[in-house]
Amino acid sequence: MKRISILGSTGSIGTQSTEVADKHGFAISAISAGSNIDMLEAQARKYKPEYVCVFNEEYYSRLKENLRDTSAKVLTGMDGLCTIAAAKNCDILLNSVVGMVGLLPTLTAIDAGTDVALANKETLVAGGTLVTEAAKKKNVKIYPVDSEHSAIFQCLQGNKREQLSKIILTASGGPFFGRTTEQLRNVTVAQALNHPNWSMGSKITIDSATLMNKGLEFIEAKWLFDLKPEQIEIVVHRQSVVHSAVEYNDCSVIAQMGVPDMKIPIQYALLYPDRVECPTNHLSLTDYGTLTFEKPDYDTFKCLSAAIKAIKLAGAYPCLVNSANEEAVALFLKEKISFLEIGEIVSSVLDKFPFTQINNYEDIAKADKAAREYVKNIVK
Ligand code: MG
């Protein structure tokens, strides 16, 4: 029986992962949530994990009290996430927390020699060098959960990596595809949260609307598949049926397709290399009829160009744009800044900060803090 630990078990990816676990009879060794202690308690009673962690320390004593009749060890904060990540009680750690918070637990799991199913893209954006080097050193596998990266990973199976020429990273385009800057000026939070194809948490949904999500995925792909930025082409594909593709030296392009349902990539990451029945719909190409592919608008969607520029500049820039984006999205959700200001803030980081090198986790933490303070200072 496979044992999995899930960081972010009450979120969209987390709950779908428990469904995959249910279907395949996996044991769940640990679960964690940001602050949703009611769902966390229900999951703890159903799966009887060894560890239950609520990241937000405010909820710790209440959760501990609520679970006092169980044998679960109740944890909190970053120490709690890292205790779970370091534990030898699981075969794979599914990391689906939101944001930079996921980086230290990922590094901890790698250090413990535990394979990671990664649904936390900020981990690779902020700490790409550290994570990939550590994984190589410890011979730990990182299985992508993000649908595009799972697609690329699937298209690589059975082919020679050194014969890959480039990847085609597809983007749905989000709810505002085709709009001009002027038309985006008065976008509301509710409009930005209304994604056409995917149902996800609020942070990633806003990132999809600004196309920052694709920028983060560009960086994620660079690290996961050891690519040069020039080897990554972003294509807007409104239907979200082709989840991404790989081109080889002979000009053959292999794509992975399916209905837009995260259960497929989650299951592939957790059951790799097996392909078994998945509780989702069959893809009917004739129902779709037409699949479309277009170029993204890099001028209007400033976050996308900023993220790509950041990875080309390297050093701390990817971490800086990511952290600035996390702060800006939080401010937008609280209606403190406009939709367009997210892109302006994220791009401004590239001019405001000098180049710095990333050599260790402390360098990342320092850049993260500096970017957050910078955003807080310009928005008062
Ligand atoms: Mg994705």
Side-chain angles (χ1 to χ4, degrees), residues 245-267:
V246 173
E247 185 198 74
Y248 290 93
N249 288 343
D250 62 353
C251 293
S252 263
V253 176
I254 300 181
Q256 186 261 340
M257 298 193 274
V259 293
D261 185 333
M262 286 306 295
K263 277 201 267 313
I264 301 174
I266 292 170
Q267 180 173 297

Side-chain angles (χ1 to χ4, degrees), residues 9-307:
S9 63
T10 62
S12 171
I13 298 291
T15 50
Q16 293 183 77
S17 303
T18 61
E19 284 174 46
V20 171
D22 284 341
K23 180 160 168 55
H24 300 289
F26 293 169
I28 296 181
S29 315
I31 52 177
S32 88
S35 51
N36 187 350
I37 55 170
D38 293 334
M39 194 192 280
L40 203 52
E41 181 186 343
Q43 288 179 336
R45 292 192 184 279
K46 180 171 176 187
Y47 297 108
K48 303 181 174 44
E50 185 180 355
Y51 297 110
V52 182
C53 174
V54 60
F55 182 69
N56 188 331
E57 298 181 7
E58 264 175 62
Y59 297 90
Y60 172 66
S61 44
R62 244 174 73 202
L63 180 66
K64 203 171 156 77
E65 175 66 20
N66 294 354
L67 290 174
R68 69 181 185 283
D69 61 314
T70 71
S71 60
K73 293 180 189 116
V74 180
L75 310 166
T76 188
M78 186 55 83
D79 284 351
L81 296 184
C82 289
T83 301
I84 290 175
K88 301 276 186 188
N89 64 354
C90 72
D91 303 304
I92 188 161
L93 177 89
L94 181 102
N95 186 350
S96 61
V97 306
V98 179
M100 223 331 252
V101 165
L103 177 57
L104 205 51
T106 297
L107 289 170
T108 307
I110 292 170
D111 196 49
T114 302
D115 289 341
V116 179
L118 194 62
N120 171 248
K121 60 193 76 178
E122 294 90 345
T123 283
L124 281 172
V125 171
T129 330
L130 294 187
V131 171
T132 47
E133 278 172 10
K136 206 185 252 176
K137 210 165 97 193
K138 289 276 179 175
N139 200 19
V140 160
K141 300 268 184 307
I142 297 177
Y143 297 106
V145 173
D146 215 340
S147 61
E148 294 80 357
H149 305 80
S150 173
I152 295 159
F153 181 59
Q154 294 183 51
C155 297
L156 291 171
Q157 304 302 315
N159 294 291
K160 290 185 177 161
R161 170 60 189 80
E162 64 275 19
Q163 291 170 355
L164 172 155
S165 60
K166 69 167 192 182
I167 66 160
I168 298 165
L169 191 66
T170 53
S172 74
F176 305 134
F177 176 71
R179 295 218 196 165
T180 61
T181 303
E182 207 38 54
Q183 290 167 331
L184 292 174
R185 206 163 292 286
N186 299 312
V187 157
T188 64
V189 171
Q191 287 167 334
L193 283 175
N194 188 17
H195 195 278
N197 302 345
W198 298 97
S199 150
M200 311 171 285
S202 58
K203 199 267 177 177
I204 183 171
T205 306
I206 300 300
D207 284 348
S208 297
T210 62
L211 293 198
M212 183 64 176
N213 185 53
K214 210 47 57 180
L216 299 176
E217 289 183 355
F218 185 105
I219 301 174
E220 187 185 6
K222 183 246 173 304
W223 290 115
L224 274 173
F225 306 113
D226 190 20
L227 301 164
K228 296 188 188 82
E230 305 75 60
Q231 288 178 293
I232 308 172
E233 180 188 0
I234 298 175
V235 171
V236 176
H237 165 49
R238 297 295 280 158
Q239 298 79 23
S240 297
V241 167
V242 175
H243 298 304
S244 280
V246 173
E247 185 198 74
Y248 290 93
N249 288 343
D250 62 353
C251 293
S252 263
V253 176
I254 300 181
Q256 186 261 340
M257 298 193 274
V259 293
D261 185 333
M262 286 306 295
K263 277 201 267 313
I264 301 174
I266 292 170
Q267 180 173 297
Y268 193 69
L270 295 177
L271 271 79
Y272 175 84
D274 284 322
R275 293 188 180 276
V276 295
E277 198 192 315
C278 183
T280 187
N281 296 322
H282 291 271
L283 170 64
S284 165
L285 284 171
T286 51
D287 281 355
Y288 281 91
T290 307
L291 298 179
T292 59
F293 302 93
E294 292 158 86
K295 283 191 174 129
D297 176 353
Y298 291 99
D299 297 326
T300 305
F301 295 90
K302 290 191 171 12
C303 284
L304 177 61
S305 2

